[in-house]
PDB file of all heavy atoms in Angstrom:
ATOM      1  N   ALA A 194      58.317 -20.981 100.615  1.00  0.00           N
ATOM      2  CA  ALA A 194      58.808 -20.057  99.587  1.00  0.00           C
ATOM      3  C   ALA A 194      57.705 -19.713  98.586  1.00  0.00           C
ATOM      4  O   ALA A 194      57.548 -18.551  98.190  1.00  0.00           O
ATOM      5  CB  ALA A 194      60.012 -20.659  98.868  1.00  0.00           C
ATOM      6  N   ARG A 195      56.953 -20.712  98.185  1.00  0.00           N
ATOM      7  CA  ARG A 195      55.875 -20.453  97.231  1.00  0.00           C
ATOM      8  C   ARG A 195      54.780 -19.594  97.871  1.00  0.00           C
ATOM      9  O   ARG A 195      54.236 -18.682  97.235  1.00  0.00           O
ATOM     10  CB  ARG A 195      55.287 -21.774  96.733  1.00  0.00           C
ATOM     11  CG  ARG A 195      54.218 -21.599  95.657  1.00  0.00           C
ATOM     12  CD  ARG A 195      53.766 -22.933  95.117  1.00  0.00           C
ATOM     13  NE  ARG A 195      54.871 -23.645  94.480  1.00  0.00           N
ATOM     14  CZ  ARG A 195      54.767 -24.863  93.959  1.00  0.00           C
ATOM     15  NH1 ARG A 195      53.612 -25.517  94.010  1.00  0.00           N
ATOM     16  NH2 ARG A 195      55.810 -25.431  93.380  1.00  0.00           N
ATOM     17  N   ALA A 196      54.461 -19.873  99.120  1.00  0.00           N
ATOM     18  CA  ALA A 196      53.452 -19.069  99.823  1.00  0.00           C
ATOM     19  C   ALA A 196      53.913 -17.618  99.964  1.00  0.00           C
ATOM     20  O   ALA A 196      53.107 -16.689  99.859  1.00  0.00           O
ATOM     21  CB  ALA A 196      53.176 -19.677 101.200  1.00  0.00           C
ATOM     22  N   PHE A 197      55.210 -17.417 100.203  1.00  0.00           N
ATOM     23  CA  PHE A 197      55.788 -16.074 100.275  1.00  0.00           C
ATOM     24  C   PHE A 197      55.551 -15.319  98.974  1.00  0.00           C
ATOM     25  O   PHE A 197      55.074 -14.178  98.971  1.00  0.00           O
ATOM     26  CB  PHE A 197      57.282 -16.200 100.570  1.00  0.00           C
ATOM     27  CG  PHE A 197      58.082 -14.940 100.415  1.00  0.00           C
ATOM     28  CD1 PHE A 197      58.146 -14.009 101.436  1.00  0.00           C
ATOM     29  CD2 PHE A 197      58.788 -14.684  99.235  1.00  0.00           C
ATOM     30  CE1 PHE A 197      58.900 -12.835 101.303  1.00  0.00           C
ATOM     31  CE2 PHE A 197      59.543 -13.526  99.096  1.00  0.00           C
ATOM     32  CZ  PHE A 197      59.590 -12.601 100.128  1.00  0.00           C
ATOM     33  N   ARG A 198      55.863 -15.969  97.851  1.00  0.00           N
ATOM     34  CA  ARG A 198      55.694 -15.312  96.551  1.00  0.00           C
ATOM     35  C   ARG A 198      54.222 -15.025  96.266  1.00  0.00           C
ATOM     36  O   ARG A 198      53.876 -13.955  95.764  1.00  0.00           O
ATOM     37  CB  ARG A 198      56.293 -16.185  95.452  1.00  0.00           C
ATOM     38  CG  ARG A 198      57.805 -16.328  95.533  1.00  0.00           C
ATOM     39  CD  ARG A 198      58.371 -16.967  94.283  1.00  0.00           C
ATOM     40  NE  ARG A 198      57.951 -18.358  94.127  1.00  0.00           N
ATOM     41  CZ  ARG A 198      58.623 -19.399  94.623  1.00  0.00           C
ATOM     42  NH1 ARG A 198      59.731 -19.193  95.326  1.00  0.00           N
ATOM     43  NH2 ARG A 198      58.204 -20.632  94.424  1.00  0.00           N
ATOM     44  N   ARG A 199      53.374 -15.999  96.585  1.00  0.00           N
ATOM     45  CA  ARG A 199      51.944 -15.824  96.324  1.00  0.00           C
ATOM     46  C   ARG A 199      51.366 -14.687  97.173  1.00  0.00           C
ATOM     47  O   ARG A 199      50.583 -13.867  96.675  1.00  0.00           O
ATOM     48  CB  ARG A 199      51.195 -17.118  96.608  1.00  0.00           C
ATOM     49  CG  ARG A 199      49.706 -17.060  96.249  1.00  0.00           C
ATOM     50  CD  ARG A 199      48.960 -18.309  96.666  1.00  0.00           C
ATOM     51  NE  ARG A 199      49.561 -19.503  96.103  1.00  0.00           N
ATOM     52  CZ  ARG A 199      50.110 -20.477  96.820  1.00  0.00           C
ATOM     53  NH1 ARG A 199      50.147 -20.393  98.151  1.00  0.00           N
ATOM     54  NH2 ARG A 199      50.625 -21.540  96.241  1.00  0.00           N
ATOM     55  N   TYR A 200      51.781 -14.630  98.431  1.00  0.00           N
ATOM     56  CA  TYR A 200      51.254 -13.592  99.317  1.00  0.00           C
ATOM     57  C   TYR A 200      51.645 -12.200  98.814  1.00  0.00           C
ATOM     58  O   TYR A 200      50.813 -11.281  98.782  1.00  0.00           O
ATOM     59  CB  TYR A 200      51.770 -13.811 100.739  1.00  0.00           C
ATOM     60  CG  TYR A 200      51.047 -12.992 101.779  1.00  0.00           C
ATOM     61  CD1 TYR A 200      49.928 -13.497 102.420  1.00  0.00           C
ATOM     62  CD2 TYR A 200      51.487 -11.712 102.108  1.00  0.00           C
ATOM     63  CE1 TYR A 200      49.252 -12.750 103.379  1.00  0.00           C
ATOM     64  CE2 TYR A 200      50.818 -10.951 103.050  1.00  0.00           C
ATOM     65  CZ  TYR A 200      49.697 -11.470 103.685  1.00  0.00           C
ATOM     66  OH  TYR A 200      49.022 -10.722 104.619  1.00  0.00           O
ATOM     67  N   LEU A 201      52.908 -12.054  98.421  1.00  0.00           N
ATOM     68  CA  LEU A 201      53.342 -10.755  97.889  1.00  0.00           C
ATOM     69  C   LEU A 201      52.600 -10.401  96.613  1.00  0.00           C
ATOM     70  O   LEU A 201      52.224  -9.241  96.399  1.00  0.00           O
ATOM     71  CB  LEU A 201      54.850 -10.769  97.629  1.00  0.00           C
ATOM     72  CG  LEU A 201      55.772 -10.608  98.828  1.00  0.00           C
ATOM     73  CD1 LEU A 201      57.227 -10.552  98.364  1.00  0.00           C
ATOM     74  CD2 LEU A 201      55.442  -9.365  99.639  1.00  0.00           C
ATOM     75  N   ALA A 202      52.406 -11.405  95.752  1.00  0.00           N
ATOM     76  CA  ALA A 202      51.721 -11.148  94.486  1.00  0.00           C
ATOM     77  C   ALA A 202      50.273 -10.717  94.707  1.00  0.00           C
ATOM     78  O   ALA A 202      49.760  -9.844  93.986  1.00  0.00           O
ATOM     79  CB  ALA A 202      51.767 -12.401  93.604  1.00  0.00           C
ATOM     80  N   GLU A 203      49.628 -11.298  95.704  1.00  0.00           N
ATOM     81  CA  GLU A 203      48.212 -10.997  95.938  1.00  0.00           C
ATOM     82  C   GLU A 203      48.011  -9.720  96.750  1.00  0.00           C
ATOM     83  O   GLU A 203      47.094  -8.939  96.471  1.00  0.00           O
ATOM     84  CB  GLU A 203      47.553 -12.173  96.674  1.00  0.00           C
ATOM     85  CG  GLU A 203      47.434 -13.431  95.818  1.00  0.00           C
ATOM     86  CD  GLU A 203      46.860 -14.595  96.590  1.00  0.00           C
ATOM     87  OE1 GLU A 203      46.581 -14.426  97.811  1.00  0.00           O
ATOM     88  OE2 GLU A 203      46.688 -15.679  95.991  1.00  0.00           O
ATOM     89  N   HIS A 204      48.849  -9.510  97.748  1.00  0.00           N
ATOM     90  CA  HIS A 204      48.622  -8.407  98.692  1.00  0.00           C
ATOM     91  C   HIS A 204      49.511  -7.188  98.439  1.00  0.00           C
ATOM     92  O   HIS A 204      49.127  -6.069  98.781  1.00  0.00           O
ATOM     93  CB  HIS A 204      48.827  -8.900 100.125  1.00  0.00           C
ATOM     94  CG  HIS A 204      47.871  -9.978 100.520  1.00  0.00           C
ATOM     95  ND1 HIS A 204      46.622  -9.733 101.041  1.00  0.00           N
ATOM     96  CD2 HIS A 204      47.977 -11.336 100.451  1.00  0.00           C
ATOM     97  CE1 HIS A 204      46.007 -10.872 101.298  1.00  0.00           C
ATOM     98  NE2 HIS A 204      46.810 -11.864 100.950  1.00  0.00           N
ATOM     99  N   GLY A 205      50.692  -7.414  97.851  1.00  0.00           N
ATOM    100  CA  GLY A 205      51.606  -6.294  97.640  1.00  0.00           C
ATOM    101  C   GLY A 205      51.124  -5.303  96.602  1.00  0.00           C
ATOM    102  O   GLY A 205      51.566  -4.152  96.584  1.00  0.00           O
ATOM    103  N   VAL A 206      50.203  -5.725  95.727  1.00  0.00           N
ATOM    104  CA  VAL A 206      49.714  -4.845  94.654  1.00  0.00           C
ATOM    105  C   VAL A 206      48.531  -3.999  95.098  1.00  0.00           C
ATOM    106  O   VAL A 206      48.111  -3.096  94.372  1.00  0.00           O
ATOM    107  CB  VAL A 206      49.309  -5.676  93.417  1.00  0.00           C
ATOM    108  CG1 VAL A 206      50.508  -6.409  92.853  1.00  0.00           C
ATOM    109  CG2 VAL A 206      48.198  -6.660  93.760  1.00  0.00           C
ATOM    110  N   ARG A 207      47.993  -4.259  96.260  1.00  0.00           N
ATOM    111  CA  ARG A 207      46.795  -3.555  96.685  1.00  0.00           C
ATOM    112  C   ARG A 207      47.113  -2.107  97.063  1.00  0.00           C
ATOM    113  O   ARG A 207      48.164  -1.827  97.649  1.00  0.00           O
ATOM    114  CB  ARG A 207      46.157  -4.277  97.879  1.00  0.00           C
ATOM    115  CG  ARG A 207      45.618  -5.659  97.510  1.00  0.00           C
ATOM    116  CD  ARG A 207      45.032  -6.368  98.699  1.00  0.00           C
ATOM    117  NE  ARG A 207      44.507  -7.687  98.313  1.00  0.00           N
ATOM    118  CZ  ARG A 207      44.008  -8.570  99.153  1.00  0.00           C
ATOM    119  NH1 ARG A 207      43.965  -8.289 100.460  1.00  0.00           N
ATOM    120  NH2 ARG A 207      43.548  -9.728  98.714  1.00  0.00           N
ATOM    121  N   PRO A 208      46.220  -1.194  96.735  1.00  0.00           N
ATOM    122  CA  PRO A 208      46.436   0.207  97.133  1.00  0.00           C
ATOM    123  C   PRO A 208      46.630   0.325  98.634  1.00  0.00           C
ATOM    124  O   PRO A 208      45.903  -0.283  99.422  1.00  0.00           O
ATOM    125  CB  PRO A 208      45.135   0.898  96.674  1.00  0.00           C
ATOM    126  CG  PRO A 208      44.602   0.028  95.585  1.00  0.00           C
ATOM    127  CD  PRO A 208      44.962  -1.373  95.979  1.00  0.00           C
TER     128      PRO A 208
END
Side-chain angles (χ1 to χ4, degrees):
R195 184 175 298 178
F197 169 83
R198 293 191 294 270
R199 185 186 304 117
Y200 193 90
L201 282 184
E203 291 176 359
H204 298 273
V206 297
R207 294 178 179 176

